[in-house]
């Protein structure tokens, strides 16, 4: 009832603050240097005990609050860590003190969970304060002038890390973990959603974090850990994973791999592009804006059937009836209830894009390249095994991070190859100079496909949409990488890619899964929608290409197999069971023709699963965001509709009033696509074609006027398209 | 002698609240009524004309306007796209599906069984 009452028990506060003041301090007579108190180590231990035995046991957060109020981290711990200079590494006492500081900082910076079932009154009271306090911790630690704090934390763990994995005691393992979690916590701290950070955003931004990691040699540590994962380190894999995830989530790969000069001009281009986009927006507004003042007061009647009239005010209706109708619509107040999107925020969100400064981009790019060269295979292979075995340290969010990171780094690797490509083409192509895809081979293995398939299945079943989204991104990137591999000049790469594609092509369960996921989109948010459509698009595209693969290529691949077998037989390795060696070239050709025909048929059957109303609806929802979509995304939607209408001959699926309205709005509406944008032309041509077809159909079959309102089931659609029922019994 | 009986104190007072006017819904009955789809079909037969080649977009505007005015007559309170979504949802009902089948069968030429 008393509003002024302290939120923390005064006795607790007294104890804690006396401990903090006993820790040490700086004074004028010491030249402002920080002097440790006589019993500083004991004080640090006591504080730790308070955190553990009071806060943790009683689930209260009171001590954490007191420590935040007394500025323990900025005022004492950082000062103490700074006194351990780089050339005093051998000082045992200093190491001990530094470790004790670290032991306090890790629980203080630990991410605060808001689990509504376990929150007590105290949590509600303290968490908002502590969230802001943690931002302060991060700012102080990253920008501390006196010493490299993050680096000091690493130095605490160096003696333990130097030991062989087998020789490390559990205390050593604990210290390594402590240091890694410290780094992870610092990287993870971010302003909570809906809170405006009052200080300088740049001090706690991702860019400042990356710059600090570079300056304090943390990237070196990450590279060492990930490249020796499995040899010198074992259980640390998930923390490293988490840490890298916090660094790269949402970073745009294309911007990362632009040249520095191009970045500068790119930024200028970006500004110019944005200005142009804005100008286009204003232009389209101005063509529809009233030409006289707002009290001019024109009023128009729309004459309707049955002697009815509708009055519309404003100039809109004077010039053309479409805009009159739009005005009539916009004055209606009723809104049907609708469900909110299930989108995600917080530290595990990877859909929000992150912007980096020029220096941060440079540093991160250097790290990414080195990681791809050395750390990718060992780390991801190790984590995958842990996930497969359902190791205890794997938490619910680790698979999601894993799949997201794999997809991100695969895309980064492709971007890097693309940059390298032109220079390698100029030289005479020497196969030894070319990079093979072995740098990322660990995620193209059969085991990875098993893990991925299982993850997608379980996420889909349990409705864990963000997990599913990450897994789909991963699958998409693997597909694209395999596709590029099949075009590689290295024979070995081609062969591996062909095998993988072959397996995917005949895997019905995967076809079903992809089609099912595409069909069942509902309110999962834009990030998910983007992943789904991207997967469906690439899956169809790559399998189509595989099905079309010319005979020549197949003949060549059989010839290659034969040559290998022959060599093997001559060496006496093969038991000669199969007769491929004895076949002739002519047989190869007939066989190849047969396979390619079979494949065409298979692909057609498979693609027809995407010509259903559910899949079309998913892409329509996606296209609804057309003004925010990037050119490749618009292209994706265009290709899909084109495929449905022309390749699958199911344009009837698009003959629905809301879809027609969307298409019309994209081209002619007040918020149409920018006519200068590269996608506008092909969309305009496509929409025109679809409209033409739909009018023709309406005239052919007047019953379509009613069916235009509804989703069609397949049999009706078939009748409307072709004019006769689909034959269910096939005669051969 | 005179108690409160004459004053009507002991009598139970009936509190009657006027029931709220039921909310108008766009359901299958409304759709199947004379103002619903039958009207749409009739209007389409009489009024829906296209200019054809070269006028695709103006024809589309005409088509959309045609549907919008019909929906405004049928269910004036909802916006065009909202009403379209409601109608689409109704299309999954059994009654509606049967009706839709019927309309389609009416249009079929009787001898075109392939």
């Amino acid at each position: 009832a008393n509003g002024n009452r302290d939120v923390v028990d005064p006795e607790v506060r007294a104890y804690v603050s006396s401990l903090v003041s006993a820790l040490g301090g700086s004074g004028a007579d010491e030249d402002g240097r920080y002097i440790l108190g006589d019993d500083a180590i004991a004080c640090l231990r006591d504080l730790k005990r308070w955190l553990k035995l009071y806060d943790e046991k009683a689930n209260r957060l009171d001590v954490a609050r007191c420590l935040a109020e007394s500025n323990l981290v900025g005022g004492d711990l950082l000062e103490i860590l700074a006194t351990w200079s780089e050339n005093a590494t051998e000082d045992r006492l200093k190491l001990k003190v530094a470790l004790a500081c670290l032991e306090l900082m890790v629980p203080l910076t630990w991410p605060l969970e808001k689990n509504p079932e376990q929150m007590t009154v105290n949590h509600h009271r303290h968490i908002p304060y502590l969230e802001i306090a943690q931002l302060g911790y991060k700012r102080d630690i990253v920008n501390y002038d006196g010493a490299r704090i993050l680096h000091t934390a690493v130095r605490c763990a160096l003696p333990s890390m130097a030991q062989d994995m087998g020789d490390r005691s559990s205390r050593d393992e604990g210290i390594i973990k402590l240091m890694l979690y410290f780094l992870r916590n610092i990287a993870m701290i971010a302003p909570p959603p809906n809170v405006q950070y009052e200080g300088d955003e740049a001090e706690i931004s991702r860019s400042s974090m990356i710059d600090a990691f570079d300056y304090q040699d943390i990237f070196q540590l990450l590279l060492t850990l990930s490249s020796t994962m499995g040899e010198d380190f074992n259980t640390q894999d998930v923390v490293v994973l988490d840490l890298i995830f916090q660094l790269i989530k949402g970073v745009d790969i294309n911007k990362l791999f632009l040249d520095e000069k191009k970045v500068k001009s790119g930024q200028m281009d970006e500004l110019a592009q944005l200005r142009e986009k804005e100008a286009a927006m204003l232009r389209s507004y101005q063509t529809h804006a009233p030409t006289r003042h707002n009290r001019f007061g024109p009023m128009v009647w729309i004459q309707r059937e049955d002697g009815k009239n509708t009055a519309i005010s404003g100039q809109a209706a004077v010039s053309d009836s479409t805009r009159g109708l739009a005005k009539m619509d916009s004055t209606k107040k009723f809104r049907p209830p609708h469900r909110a999107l299930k989108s995600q925020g917080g530290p595990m969100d990877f859909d929000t894009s992150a912007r980096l400064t020029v220096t941060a981009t440079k540093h991160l790019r250097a790290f990414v390249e080195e990681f791809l060269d050395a750390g990718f295979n060992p780390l991801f292979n190790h984590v995958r095994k842990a996930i497969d075995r359902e190791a205890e340290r794997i938490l619910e969010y680790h698979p999601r991070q894993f799949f997201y990171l794999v997809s991100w780094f695969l895309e980064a690797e492709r971007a890097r190859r693309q940059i390298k490509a032109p220079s390698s083409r100029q030289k005479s192509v020497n196969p030894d100079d070319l990079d093979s895809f072995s740098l990322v081979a660990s995620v193209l293995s059969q085991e990875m496909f098993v893990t991925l398939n299982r993850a997608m299945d379980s996420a889909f079943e349990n409705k864990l949409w963000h997990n599913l989204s990450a897994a789909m991104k991963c699958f998409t990137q693997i597909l694209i990488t395999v596709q590029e591999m099949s075009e590689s000049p290295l024979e070995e790469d081609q062969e591996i890619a062909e095998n993988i594609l072959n397996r995917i092509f005949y895997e019905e369960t995967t076809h079903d899964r992809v089609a099912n996921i595409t069909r069942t989109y509902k309110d999962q948010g834009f990030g998910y929608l983007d992943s789904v459509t991207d997967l469906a698009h690439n899956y169809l595209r790559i399998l189509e290409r595989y099905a079309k693969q010319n005979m020549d290529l197949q003949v060549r691949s059989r010839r290659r197999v034969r040559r290998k077998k022959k060599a093997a037989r001559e060496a006496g390795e093969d038991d000669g069971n199969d007769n491929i060696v004895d076949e002739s070239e002519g047989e190869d050709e007939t066989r190849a023709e047969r396979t390619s025909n079979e494949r065409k048929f298979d692909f057609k059957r498979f693609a027809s699963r995407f010509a259903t109303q559910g899949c079309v609806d998913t892409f329509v929802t996606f296209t609804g965001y057309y003004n925010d979509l990037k050119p490749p995304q618009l292209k994706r939607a265009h290709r899909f509709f084109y495929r449905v209408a022309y390749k699958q001959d199911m344009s009837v699926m698009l003959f629905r009033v809301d879809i027609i309205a969307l298409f019309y709005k994209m081209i002619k509406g007040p918020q149409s696509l920018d006519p200068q944008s590269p996608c506008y032309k092909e969309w305009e041509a496509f929409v025109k074609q679809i409209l033409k077809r739909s009018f023709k159909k309406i005239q052919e079959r007047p019953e379509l006027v009613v069916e235009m309102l509804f989703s069609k089931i397949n049999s009706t659609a078939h009748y409307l398209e072709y004019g006769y029922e689909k034959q269910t019994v096939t005669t051969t | 002698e005179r108690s409160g009986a004459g004053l009507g104190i002991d009598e139970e007072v009936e509190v009657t609240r006027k029931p709220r006017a039921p909310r108008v819904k766009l359901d299958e009955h409304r759709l199947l009524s004379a103002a619903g789809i039958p009207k749409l079909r009739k209007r389409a037969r009489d009024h829906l004309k296209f200019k054809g080649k070269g006028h695709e977009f103006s024809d589309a505007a005409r088509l959309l306007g045609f549907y919008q005015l019909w929906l405004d007559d049928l269910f004036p309170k909802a916006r065009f796209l909202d009403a379209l979504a409601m109608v689409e949802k109704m299309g999954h009902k059994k009654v509606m599906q049967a009706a839709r089948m019927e309309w389609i069968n009416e249009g079929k030429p009787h001898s075109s069984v392939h």
Side-chain angles (χ1 to χ4, degrees), chain A residues 304-305 308 325 329-330 332 334-336 664 688 692 695 705 707-708 710-711 716 719 725 727, chain B residues 43 47 50 56-57 59 67-69 72-73 76-80 82 87-88 100 104 108 114:
Chain A
R304 295 170 61 172
E305 282 173 33
K308 242 167 91 180
L325 288 177
D329 210 35
S330 68
K332 296 184 179 181
F334 171 74
R335 295 278 179 287
Y664 178 77
K688 208 169 179 177
K692 204 188 267 175
F695 302 142
V705 171
E707 285 296 302
M708 282 277 269
F710 305 107
S711 295
T716 352
Y719 165 72
E725 299 283 336
Q727 291 286 344
Chain B
R43 273 197 203 174
H47 299 295
F50 298 115
E56 283 81 8
F57 289 104
D59 276 349
Y67 280 104
Q68 189 180 342
L69 287 175
D72 188 60
D73 283 342
K77 80 172 175 183
R79 294 187 171 188
F80 180 40
D82 293 340
V87 172
E88 199 283 321
R100 282 167 64 187
I104 286 183
K108 272 184 197 170
H114 285 243

Side-chain angles (χ1 to χ4, degrees), chain A residues 275-294:
Chain A
R275 290 293 302 263
E276 221 159 79
K277 204 175 170 191
E278 192 190 11
M281 228 170 68
L282 288 176
R283 223 178 302 133
S284 89
Y285 171 72
Q286 271 160 358
T287 54
H288 296 278
T291 51
R292 293 183 185 274
H293 62 79
N294 64 350

Side-chain angles (χ1 to χ4, degrees), chain B residues 45-94:
Chain B
R45 216 174 313 138
D46 302 341
H47 299 295
L48 196 59
K49 299 279 183 300
F50 298 115
K51 279 193 180 167
K53 202 171 163 17
H55 300 275
E56 283 81 8
F57 289 104
S58 62
D59 276 349
R62 193 166 304 123
L63 182 74
L64 291 172
F66 166 75
Y67 280 104
Q68 189 180 342
L69 287 175
W70 168 70
L71 274 172
D72 188 60
D73 283 342
L74 180 66
F75 192 64
K77 80 172 175 183
R79 294 187 171 188
F80 180 40
L81 288 179
D82 293 340
L84 274 180
M86 291 174 189
V87 172
E88 199 283 321
K89 216 166 150 194
M90 282 300 118
H92 298 283
K93 296 238 166 170
K94 269 235 167 76

